Structures are given as C-alpha cells and as structure tokens.
Amino acid sequence: MAKKLILLIHTGGTISMAQDQTGAVIPGKENPIAEQSAQVSDYANLIVESPFTLPSPHITPEHMLQIKKLIEKYYLDSGIEGVVITHGTDTLEETAYFLDLTLRLSIPVVLTGAMRSSNEIGSDGLYNLISSIRTACCDEAYGKGVLVVLNDEIHTAVNVTKTHASNVSTFQSPQYGPIGIVTKGGVVFHHTPKLDLKYSLQEPSKKVVIIKAYAGMDSRLFTSLSELGFDGVVIEALGQGNLPPGTVEGIQSLIKENIPIVLVSRCFNGIAQDVYGYEGGGRHLKEMGVIFSNGLNGQKARIKLMIGLAQSCDHQFISNMFK
C-alpha cells in the first residue's frame, strides 16, 4: 500500500524541549522531536513545517489562525492526505478546538504532545508522534473532525481536556471518553463524533475573558469589563449554573451594553442548566439573557464565543451557537 502524504507541523512545547542540568525544561537550539521525524518516515511521506517554536502558554489565537492557513495552503498546493501537529499540552485543547471550528477539511487533523521532555526517563513524545501519524494515515479517521492523540487514546477536540498537571494520561474526555484507541495492530474507532458547524475567521480580533465564580463574589469584576474593552464574557459558574446574588447587578450592566455572557459550570463533569429560580440561580440568569453552553468547558467556550463574535454580535446568533 502506498504511503500517505502527511503534513507534520511542529509548534513547540514539552515535546520539543529537553531538561537541563538544573532540572528546568527549556527549548534548545534544536528541536529534538523534529530531529526524530526521520524515525516515523516508515509510516508516511512527510512534509515537515515549523512555523514557530513556542511553549504553549505563549500560543495565541493569531498562532492558531496561522496553523489553519498553513494546513489549507498545503491541502490546496500539495494534496496532503492528513495533518499531525505537535503542540505544548497546556493549551493544546484550545488550538484543537479552534481548528475544529474553522477548518472545512475532511482529512484527518491530529494534535499531539508530550508530558515528559525528550531526555527524561519515559519520554512519551516520539511514541505519541508515531501514534498520531498512524491515526492520520487511517482511512477511518476521515470526516471525524480534529482529533487529539496521546497515550494510545483518540479524543475529539470538542470533548478532550487536560486533567492532570504532569501525568502522561492527562488528556481525558469527561463523561464521553475516547472515540478510539491506537494498538500495536492498528487504529480502532468505536464511536463517531457529532461534528459542529464550521465558521469563517479572517482575524481573531474579538476579546473574550473567562471569569471563575466563587463564594461571596460581587459585581466589581463584571462592571470593569466594558471599560477594559472586552467584547464577550465566559463565566465558569457554580454547580449547575448559578452565581452569588452580588454578581447580578454586574451581569445586568453587561447585558444592557450588549456584551454577551456565556455560562458554563466550573464542575469537572456535568452541564450548566437553568434549574434554580432564586436570585443568581440559573433560571434567573437565563431570563436575564445569559447564554448557557451545552457542555463546553470555559476555555473552549471562550474560543467559540471569540469566533462567533467575529461572525456577528447578534444575541440570537450567539445563543444558537451554544445550543
């Protein structure tokens, strides 16, 4: 069988770093995972690009858009049959979801990373890279949206999240689980994901902030947001979607200024819903005009709201995005 043409994009992160003599993990002059790319050439014909080399806390929506445009360029110019992106794990899920919402391609697009740098015992970078390339070469991976592959598991961009600060099995999909696994014998999918709509984005210019709710919270943070020039707000609310009563005045002021507020739960599992009717409860907030997200976590709701506001500031349009 002829090997597939895969675009391999290196962007930095732990997978591209090494541990120095003091124990600090830092980027070096050379990217060790890029040097190891030859070891995966048995699985695919590779086009290798390194548009930038950054730890993932340095990644911005502008970098995400750069990756998207690079993929589209090679798809049109070279007829690539799949994409693998190496990325730092801290914001990997945000880049994956950004691409999932904006790429209109059916070819497999897979993001991967590492929790241990290249010279640490048990380094997982090369293994994850090989698993990701095998997934990108799999016919069954077509049309499944952007995928995240680490630790032998295949997750969807919409559901996956980093759940542990250092464990190699950090990437999980709470409530849903992986949609497939990578075995020594092959790549196996056991679920077909429900895909989201795709959106156009020329420039990620809209500013969206995430605020986490806490006991005794008041309105001061909310009333300052319009002065700071934010275009939208995501709130990680308490429980099923509730806020302390002291926040209500600030929420009302933002809604009057047509600044959309999307609400998610700060809980690890579950979905925010308009259940409670007391002041600051979910029912009260929804009646005020707060938008409830259907199961996204805060960081992905921010990405979606940012992209949505680039399409339209209409409240009904934004609300429909999160149904």
Side-chain angles (χ1 to χ4, degrees):
M1 184 187 301
K3 291 189 290 186
K4 292 189 176 181
L5 182 61
I6 301 296
L7 173 62
L8 174 56
I9 302 174
H10 296 302
T11 68
T14 298
I15 194 170
S16 68
M17 298 182 189
Q19 195 174 53
D20 68 12
Q21 294 179 343
T22 70
V25 177
I26 57 172
K29 293 182 179 179
E30 303 295 333
N31 182 340
I33 200 65
E35 295 174 354
Q36 294 171 333
S37 294
Q39 298 186 45
V40 300
S41 60
D42 289 343
Y43 300 93
N45 294 318
L46 299 178
I47 299 173
V48 182
E49 282 279 359
S50 299
F52 47 81
T53 302
L54 295 171
S56 64
H58 294 192
I59 298 289
T60 66
E62 286 76 15
H63 293 116
M64 299 174 192
L65 185 61
Q66 186 179 346
I67 295 170
K68 171 187 177 288
K69 290 179 178 179
L70 186 62
I71 294 170
E72 291 170 336
K73 175 183 180 297
Y74 274 99
Y75 180 78
L76 293 174
D77 295 348
S78 305
I80 55 172
E81 298 167 277
V83 181
V84 172
I85 304 164
T86 64
H87 195 290
T89 58
D90 284 351
T91 60
L92 184 151
E93 66 190 88
E94 289 164 81
T95 296
Y97 191 53
F98 178 98
L99 295 174
D100 197 51
L101 289 173
T102 58
L103 272 176
R104 289 184 168 92
L105 301 177
S106 60
I107 62 171
V109 177
V110 180
L111 279 82
T112 193
M115 295 303 292
R116 295 173 182 160
S117 58
S118 60
N119 60 343
E120 289 184 75
I121 295 173
S123 174
D124 53 333
L126 180 58
Y127 186 88
N128 285 337
L129 176 58
I130 291 172
S131 295
S132 297
I133 289 177
R134 290 175 64 200
T135 301
C137 291
C138 175
D139 289 340
E140 287 74 21
Y142 277 76
K144 287 186 168 59
V146 175
L147 303 172
V148 173
V149 174
L150 291 94
N151 205 39
D152 286 333
E153 293 183 340
I154 306 169
H155 296 264
T156 64
V158 67
N159 292 324
V160 75
T161 191
K162 187 174 182 179
T163 65
H164 195 285
S166 58
N167 197 299
V168 294
S169 63
T170 180
F171 281 95
Q172 305 290 330
S173 295
Q175 302 185 104
Y176 303 102
I179 65 165
I181 56 174
V182 182
T183 71
K184 294 187 184 300
V187 177
V188 180
F189 286 93
H190 49 73
H191 286 97
T192 298
K194 177 183 176 182
L195 299 181
D196 208 329
L197 295 174
K198 307 299 179 182
Y199 301 93
S200 299
L201 184 68
Q202 300 302 317
E203 183 181 0
S205 59
K206 299 299 183 180
K207 294 167 59 178
V208 178
V209 67
I210 302 174
I211 294 180
K212 190 165 188 171
Y214 53 85
M217 189 178 194
D218 59 27
S219 287
R220 284 175 291 177
L221 279 174
F222 298 108
T223 54
S224 68
L225 292 179
S226 60
E227 298 173 8
L228 294 171
F230 283 98
D231 302 294
V233 184
V234 173
I235 303 174
E236 294 185 355
L238 309 172
Q240 291 190 61
N242 310 304
L243 293 173
T247 65
V248 171
E249 182 180 347
I251 298 291
Q252 288 174 328
S253 69
L254 290 175
I255 292 172
K256 287 179 181 178
E257 295 185 49
N258 294 316
I259 297 175
I261 301 171
V262 174
L263 188 142
V264 305
S265 175
R266 75 177 193 180
C267 296
F268 191 73
N269 285 297
I271 296 174
Q273 301 176 81
D274 57 326
V275 174
Y276 291 94
Y278 50 73
E279 185 179 13
R283 182 67 56 87
H284 180 213
L285 295 172
K286 192 165 188 178
E287 289 171 351
M288 289 167 54
V290 173
I291 299 166
F292 278 62
S293 173
N294 188 19
L296 291 175
N297 62 23
Q299 53 268 37
K300 290 180 186 171
R302 174 185 170 269
I303 292 290
K304 193 166 194 177
L305 180 55
M306 180 189 70
I307 292 172
L309 285 168
Q311 322 298 307
S312 172
C313 296
D314 178 71
H315 184 275
Q316 191 58 54
F317 174 84
I318 299 296
S319 181
N320 288 339
M321 285 185 66
F322 288 91
K323 287 185 178 178

PDB file of all heavy atoms in Angstrom, residues 140-158:
ATOM      1  N   GLU A 140     -10.308   5.427   8.457  1.00  0.00           N
ATOM      2  CA  GLU A 140     -11.464   5.638   9.336  1.00  0.00           C
ATOM      3  C   GLU A 140     -11.406   6.987  10.053  1.00  0.00           C
ATOM      4  O   GLU A 140     -12.396   7.422  10.647  1.00  0.00           O
ATOM      5  CB  GLU A 140     -11.569   4.514  10.368  1.00  0.00           C
ATOM      6  CG  GLU A 140     -12.040   3.180   9.815  1.00  0.00           C
ATOM      7  CD  GLU A 140     -10.950   2.476   9.007  1.00  0.00           C
ATOM      8  OE1 GLU A 140      -9.752   2.803   9.201  1.00  0.00           O
ATOM      9  OE2 GLU A 140     -11.301   1.615   8.182  1.00  0.00           O
ATOM     10  N   ALA A 141     -10.243   7.658  10.023  1.00  0.00           N
ATOM     11  CA  ALA A 141     -10.119   8.955  10.695  1.00  0.00           C
ATOM     12  C   ALA A 141     -10.689  10.099   9.853  1.00  0.00           C
ATOM     13  O   ALA A 141     -10.869  11.212  10.359  1.00  0.00           O
ATOM     14  CB  ALA A 141      -8.657   9.239  11.022  1.00  0.00           C
ATOM     15  N   TYR A 142     -10.997   9.831   8.583  1.00  0.00           N
ATOM     16  CA  TYR A 142     -11.562  10.873   7.725  1.00  0.00           C
ATOM     17  C   TYR A 142     -12.951  11.280   8.221  1.00  0.00           C
ATOM     18  O   TYR A 142     -13.755  10.441   8.632  1.00  0.00           O
ATOM     19  CB  TYR A 142     -11.663  10.374   6.283  1.00  0.00           C
ATOM     20  CG  TYR A 142     -10.382  10.509   5.508  1.00  0.00           C
ATOM     21  CD1 TYR A 142      -9.335   9.631   5.718  1.00  0.00           C
ATOM     22  CD2 TYR A 142     -10.207  11.530   4.568  1.00  0.00           C
ATOM     23  CE1 TYR A 142      -8.140   9.750   5.005  1.00  0.00           C
ATOM     24  CE2 TYR A 142      -9.031  11.661   3.851  1.00  0.00           C
ATOM     25  CZ  TYR A 142      -7.997  10.768   4.083  1.00  0.00           C
ATOM     26  OH  TYR A 142      -6.825  10.898   3.387  1.00  0.00           O
ATOM     27  N   GLY A 143     -13.201  12.590   8.179  1.00  0.00           N
ATOM     28  CA  GLY A 143     -14.525  13.095   8.498  1.00  0.00           C
ATOM     29  C   GLY A 143     -14.899  13.055   9.961  1.00  0.00           C
ATOM     30  O   GLY A 143     -16.067  13.199  10.302  1.00  0.00           O
ATOM     31  N   LYS A 144     -13.924  12.893  10.846  1.00  0.00           N
ATOM     32  CA  LYS A 144     -14.223  12.832  12.277  1.00  0.00           C
ATOM     33  C   LYS A 144     -13.844  14.105  13.021  1.00  0.00           C
ATOM     34  O   LYS A 144     -13.839  14.138  14.241  1.00  0.00           O
ATOM     35  CB  LYS A 144     -13.545  11.606  12.908  1.00  0.00           C
ATOM     36  CG  LYS A 144     -14.224  10.297  12.524  1.00  0.00           C
ATOM     37  CD  LYS A 144     -13.624   9.117  13.281  1.00  0.00           C
ATOM     38  CE  LYS A 144     -14.485   7.862  13.120  1.00  0.00           C
ATOM     39  NZ  LYS A 144     -14.665   7.438  11.735  1.00  0.00           N
ATOM     40  N   GLY A 145     -13.541  15.154  12.284  1.00  0.00           N
ATOM     41  CA  GLY A 145     -13.159  16.393  12.936  1.00  0.00           C
ATOM     42  C   GLY A 145     -11.729  16.341  13.430  1.00  0.00           C
ATOM     43  O   GLY A 145     -10.999  15.376  13.191  1.00  0.00           O
ATOM     44  N   VAL A 146     -11.315  17.383  14.126  1.00  0.00           N
ATOM     45  CA  VAL A 146      -9.953  17.446  14.658  1.00  0.00           C
ATOM     46  C   VAL A 146      -9.848  16.506  15.857  1.00  0.00           C
ATOM     47  O   VAL A 146     -10.720  16.487  16.737  1.00  0.00           O
ATOM     48  CB  VAL A 146      -9.590  18.889  15.050  1.00  0.00           C
ATOM     49  CG1 VAL A 146      -8.226  18.939  15.728  1.00  0.00           C
ATOM     50  CG2 VAL A 146      -9.606  19.783  13.814  1.00  0.00           C
ATOM     51  N   LEU A 147      -8.758  15.744  15.888  1.00  0.00           N
ATOM     52  CA  LEU A 147      -8.558  14.723  16.908  1.00  0.00           C
ATOM     53  C   LEU A 147      -7.327  15.044  17.755  1.00  0.00           C
ATOM     54  O   LEU A 147      -6.411  15.738  17.308  1.00  0.00           O
ATOM     55  CB  LEU A 147      -8.391  13.347  16.265  1.00  0.00           C
ATOM     56  CG  LEU A 147      -9.534  12.883  15.358  1.00  0.00           C
ATOM     57  CD1 LEU A 147      -9.152  11.599  14.622  1.00  0.00           C
ATOM     58  CD2 LEU A 147     -10.819  12.686  16.158  1.00  0.00           C
ATOM     59  N   VAL A 148      -7.312  14.513  18.969  1.00  0.00           N
ATOM     60  CA  VAL A 148      -6.167  14.623  19.874  1.00  0.00           C
ATOM     61  C   VAL A 148      -5.747  13.210  20.261  1.00  0.00           C
ATOM     62  O   VAL A 148      -6.565  12.431  20.744  1.00  0.00           O
ATOM     63  CB  VAL A 148      -6.517  15.456  21.121  1.00  0.00           C
ATOM     64  CG1 VAL A 148      -5.383  15.412  22.140  1.00  0.00           C
ATOM     65  CG2 VAL A 148      -6.837  16.897  20.729  1.00  0.00           C
ATOM     66  N   VAL A 149      -4.474  12.884  20.031  1.00  0.00           N
ATOM     67  CA  VAL A 149      -3.977  11.533  20.281  1.00  0.00           C
ATOM     68  C   VAL A 149      -2.778  11.591  21.219  1.00  0.00           C
ATOM     69  O   VAL A 149      -1.744  12.180  20.885  1.00  0.00           O
ATOM     70  CB  VAL A 149      -3.578  10.833  18.959  1.00  0.00           C
ATOM     71  CG1 VAL A 149      -2.931   9.478  19.244  1.00  0.00           C
ATOM     72  CG2 VAL A 149      -4.793  10.669  18.058  1.00  0.00           C
ATOM     73  N   LEU A 150      -2.932  11.028  22.372  1.00  0.00           N
ATOM     74  CA  LEU A 150      -1.837  10.819  23.316  1.00  0.00           C
ATOM     75  C   LEU A 150      -2.132   9.546  24.113  1.00  0.00           C
ATOM     76  O   LEU A 150      -3.315   9.185  24.309  1.00  0.00           O
ATOM     77  CB  LEU A 150      -1.672  11.983  24.305  1.00  0.00           C
ATOM     78  CG  LEU A 150      -1.168  13.330  23.770  1.00  0.00           C
ATOM     79  CD1 LEU A 150      -2.320  14.239  23.425  1.00  0.00           C
ATOM     80  CD2 LEU A 150      -0.249  14.004  24.801  1.00  0.00           C
ATOM     81  N   ASN A 151      -1.062   8.894  24.551  1.00  0.00           N
ATOM     82  CA  ASN A 151      -1.205   7.762  25.473  1.00  0.00           C
ATOM     83  C   ASN A 151      -2.140   6.681  24.930  1.00  0.00           C
ATOM     84  O   ASN A 151      -2.956   6.119  25.657  1.00  0.00           O
ATOM     85  CB  ASN A 151      -1.709   8.266  26.839  1.00  0.00           C
ATOM     86  CG  ASN A 151      -1.332   7.340  27.968  1.00  0.00           C
ATOM     87  OD1 ASN A 151      -0.234   6.791  27.976  1.00  0.00           O
ATOM     88  ND2 ASN A 151      -2.238   7.153  28.918  1.00  0.00           N
ATOM     89  N   ASP A 152      -2.046   6.407  23.629  1.00  0.00           N
ATOM     90  CA  ASP A 152      -2.803   5.335  22.968  1.00  0.00           C
ATOM     91  C   ASP A 152      -4.294   5.634  22.829  1.00  0.00           C
ATOM     92  O   ASP A 152      -5.060   4.742  22.444  1.00  0.00           O
ATOM     93  CB  ASP A 152      -2.639   3.991  23.685  1.00  0.00           C
ATOM     94  CG  ASP A 152      -1.285   3.346  23.453  1.00  0.00           C
ATOM     95  OD1 ASP A 152      -0.685   3.627  22.399  1.00  0.00           O
ATOM     96  OD2 ASP A 152      -0.831   2.585  24.316  1.00  0.00           O
ATOM     97  N   GLU A 153      -4.743   6.837  23.127  1.00  0.00           N
ATOM     98  CA  GLU A 153      -6.171   7.156  23.050  1.00  0.00           C
ATOM     99  C   GLU A 153      -6.427   8.252  22.021  1.00  0.00           C
ATOM    100  O   GLU A 153      -5.614   9.162  21.847  1.00  0.00           O
ATOM    101  CB  GLU A 153      -6.704   7.592  24.407  1.00  0.00           C
ATOM    102  CG  GLU A 153      -6.703   6.468  25.441  1.00  0.00           C
ATOM    103  CD  GLU A 153      -7.310   6.879  26.765  1.00  0.00           C
ATOM    104  OE1 GLU A 153      -7.392   8.103  27.040  1.00  0.00           O
ATOM    105  OE2 GLU A 153      -7.699   5.980  27.545  1.00  0.00           O
ATOM    106  N   ILE A 154      -7.598   8.157  21.378  1.00  0.00           N
ATOM    107  CA  ILE A 154      -8.011   9.135  20.377  1.00  0.00           C
ATOM    108  C   ILE A 154      -9.231   9.877  20.916  1.00  0.00           C
ATOM    109  O   ILE A 154     -10.260   9.263  21.213  1.00  0.00           O
ATOM    110  CB  ILE A 154      -8.370   8.458  19.040  1.00  0.00           C
ATOM    111  CG1 ILE A 154      -7.214   7.575  18.548  1.00  0.00           C
ATOM    112  CG2 ILE A 154      -8.738   9.501  17.989  1.00  0.00           C
ATOM    113  CD1 ILE A 154      -7.599   6.668  17.390  1.00  0.00           C
ATOM    114  N   HIS A 155      -9.098  11.185  21.039  1.00  0.00           N
ATOM    115  CA  HIS A 155     -10.176  12.011  21.589  1.00  0.00           C
ATOM    116  C   HIS A 155     -10.608  13.054  20.566  1.00  0.00           C
ATOM    117  O   HIS A 155      -9.841  13.440  19.677  1.00  0.00           O
ATOM    118  CB  HIS A 155      -9.704  12.728  22.859  1.00  0.00           C
ATOM    119  CG  HIS A 155      -9.361  11.816  23.987  1.00  0.00           C
ATOM    120  ND1 HIS A 155     -10.250  11.507  24.993  1.00  0.00           N
ATOM    121  CD2 HIS A 155      -8.218  11.134  24.274  1.00  0.00           C
ATOM    122  CE1 HIS A 155      -9.678  10.691  25.853  1.00  0.00           C
ATOM    123  NE2 HIS A 155      -8.443  10.447  25.435  1.00  0.00           N
ATOM    124  N   THR A 156     -11.837  13.531  20.698  1.00  0.00           N
ATOM    125  CA  THR A 156     -12.309  14.634  19.859  1.00  0.00           C
ATOM    126  C   THR A 156     -11.876  15.959  20.470  1.00  0.00           C
ATOM    127  O   THR A 156     -11.751  16.102  21.687  1.00  0.00           O
ATOM    128  CB  THR A 156     -13.836  14.620  19.725  1.00  0.00           C
ATOM    129  OG1 THR A 156     -14.427  14.843  21.017  1.00  0.00           O
ATOM    130  CG2 THR A 156     -14.335  13.311  19.149  1.00  0.00           C
ATOM    131  N   ALA A 157     -11.680  16.941  19.599  1.00  0.00           N
ATOM    132  CA  ALA A 157     -11.279  18.264  20.063  1.00  0.00           C
ATOM    133  C   ALA A 157     -12.327  18.890  20.972  1.00  0.00           C
ATOM    134  O   ALA A 157     -11.999  19.615  21.913  1.00  0.00           O
ATOM    135  CB  ALA A 157     -11.014  19.173  18.867  1.00  0.00           C
ATOM    136  N   VAL A 158     -13.595  18.628  20.711  1.00  0.00           N
ATOM    137  CA  VAL A 158     -14.663  19.271  21.476  1.00  0.00           C
ATOM    138  C   VAL A 158     -14.740  18.756  22.908  1.00  0.00           C
ATOM    139  O   VAL A 158     -15.099  19.503  23.822  1.00  0.00           O
ATOM    140  CB  VAL A 158     -16.020  19.111  20.754  1.00  0.00           C
ATOM    141  CG1 VAL A 158     -16.470  17.663  20.725  1.00  0.00           C
ATOM    142  CG2 VAL A 158     -17.077  19.992  21.399  1.00  0.00           C
TER     143      VAL A 158
END
